[in-house]
Amino acid sequence: MSIFAISDLHVGHPRTAARLSELPAHRDDWLILGGDIGESCDHLKLVLEVVVPRYHTVIWVPGNHELWTTKGDGAGPDKYDALVALCREWGVLTPEDPWPVVEPGLRLVPLFLLYDYSFGPAGLSPEAVVRWSREGGIVCADERRLEPGDFGTRQAWCRARLDDAQARLAELEPDERTILVNHWPLRRDLCRLFRIPRFTPWCGTTETEDWHLRYRAEVVVSGHLHMPATDWRDGVRFEEVSYGYPRQVDPSRPLGDHIRTIWPPPPSPRVPRVPNAGPYWRR
């Protein structure tokens, strides 16, 4: 059994939605959908209709785009609950479900952790971080479209998600290994946004910098950056599995070629590469 992953399909773009039939069938294997599949429940359903019959097990984690307020889907935590309910209708695992066992001693852990602006300059409040980003010409659309609901702020929502995840992770056996999956990167040093460094505050939380060690990760999977890459930290493999917007990909390359193998691991460590920072600023 193999585990594959892809994120950031953004099927609200018709050119990408039209390519979904190119996704291969691996009926004995698992597929991770790493967030930003689309911006509505209908977008997620469109993808599930394609991938669920083609894979033994499908796992989904949300990205910021899925959580954006869209007509008819609710907003913030309510929309997240609606997306989880949709996944359950299709038998798709989410961060709210029991974490599946990949093999004895190894558990796949889908996470929804959000961000708390701590990837910004040290010592600044979230409000000051947003002002700092705006001074550089960058403000994430989340500031308008991602509502925190009863949590009051996105950082408070992030704190609640972190506390919930850590409580569940503490229940793992002391020698149990993990495959950690989160839409946002778990480490700030993996956010190589060379052209738009002031977008980094919307990319994660420093609370997770050591989770790959603390929770005995074999591999950590993320998306969000639109810069697919393999990195190594402390002997742990980090896979960024984004697809991206149509303008960021080669249309002659089949969509299935963008799916990355997560498990089993490669026979030997690959040399980390620094990918080109694409036109992510258009977000």
Side-chain angles (χ1 to χ4, degrees):
M1 184 268 287
S2 296
I3 301 174
F4 302 100
I6 192 168
S7 73
D8 297 82
L9 285 171
H10 296 287
V11 298
H13 291 269
R15 278 185 287 170
T16 301
R19 302 190 67 187
L20 289 175
S21 61
E22 299 173 12
L23 291 171
H26 293 273
R27 294 185 175 87
D28 295 326
D29 300 318
W30 296 13
L31 178 67
I32 295 166
L33 297 174
D36 280 6
I37 300 307
E39 297 175 2
S40 69
C41 290
D42 285 344
H43 290 161
L44 180 58
K45 182 180 178 182
L46 177 68
V47 174
L48 297 186
E49 288 174 339
V50 173
V51 301
V52 166
R54 302 185 187 201
Y55 287 84
H56 180 276
T57 299
V58 178
I59 303 99
W60 168 82
V61 299
N64 55 312
H65 279 241
E66 272 113 341
L67 301 174
W68 281 2
T69 300
T70 51
K71 186 177 181 179
D73 289 335
D78 290 338
K79 185 177 183 183
Y80 175 61
D81 290 343
L83 291 162
V84 169
L86 174 62
C87 285
R88 286 176 172 168
E89 290 176 11
W90 284 85
V92 172
L93 299 177
T94 76
E96 307 311 309
D97 296 309
W99 296 332
V101 174
V102 176
E103 60 184 45
L106 178 63
R107 197 174 293 268
L108 192 148
V109 178
L111 299 164
F112 165 34
L113 302 178
L114 264 170
Y115 53 85
D116 58 7
Y117 303 90
S118 58
F119 277 8
L124 296 185
S125 68
E127 295 77 15
V129 168
V130 173
R131 288 196 298 271
W132 169 81
S133 295
R134 184 178 288 112
E135 289 167 359
I138 298 294
V139 177
C140 181
D142 290 3
E143 296 299 308
R144 295 180 292 103
R145 301 191 63 182
L146 205 170
E147 300 179 32
D150 291 341
F151 290 100
T153 64
R154 282 174 287 278
Q155 57 268 31
W157 192 5
C158 175
R159 181 72 264 169
R161 297 302 311 182
L162 287 165
D163 290 346
D164 177 75
Q166 289 180 99
R168 293 180 66 186
L169 285 161
E171 296 175 355
L172 296 176
E173 296 297 327
D175 60 347
E176 198 164 10
R177 298 167 293 125
T178 63
I179 297 173
L180 301 178
V181 181
N182 188 53
H183 176 69
W184 294 268
L186 297 192
R187 292 180 57 89
R188 191 184 191 282
D189 61 2
L190 298 178
C191 298
R192 296 179 289 255
L193 301 177
F194 304 125
R195 297 179 183 175
I196 51 165
R198 297 197 186 202
F199 191 87
T200 305
W202 292 275
C203 292
T205 169
T206 56
E207 293 279 341
T208 58
E209 289 284 314
D210 68 344
W211 279 29
H212 62 296
L213 297 176
R214 191 189 312 179
Y215 300 119
R216 303 167 297 282
E218 290 285 345
V219 57
V220 179
V221 181
S222 65
H224 192 58
L225 304 179
H226 293 199
M227 296 190 298
T230 300
D231 290 281
W232 294 84
R233 296 291 185 274
D234 306 304
V236 178
R237 180 165 53 103
F238 287 74
E239 292 284 354
E240 210 282 3
V241 300
S242 297
Y243 176 67
Y245 298 129
R247 63 179 176 273
Q248 295 173 314
V249 298
D250 180 356
S252 68
R253 184 182 177 194
L255 180 57
D257 285 359
H258 294 267
I259 294 178
R260 298 175 74 86
T261 301
I262 302 305
W263 195 261
S268 60
R270 286 176 282 174
V271 177
R273 68 180 179 87
V274 178
N276 179 38
Y280 187 94
W281 63 271
R282 291 179 181 267
R283 281 185 174 235

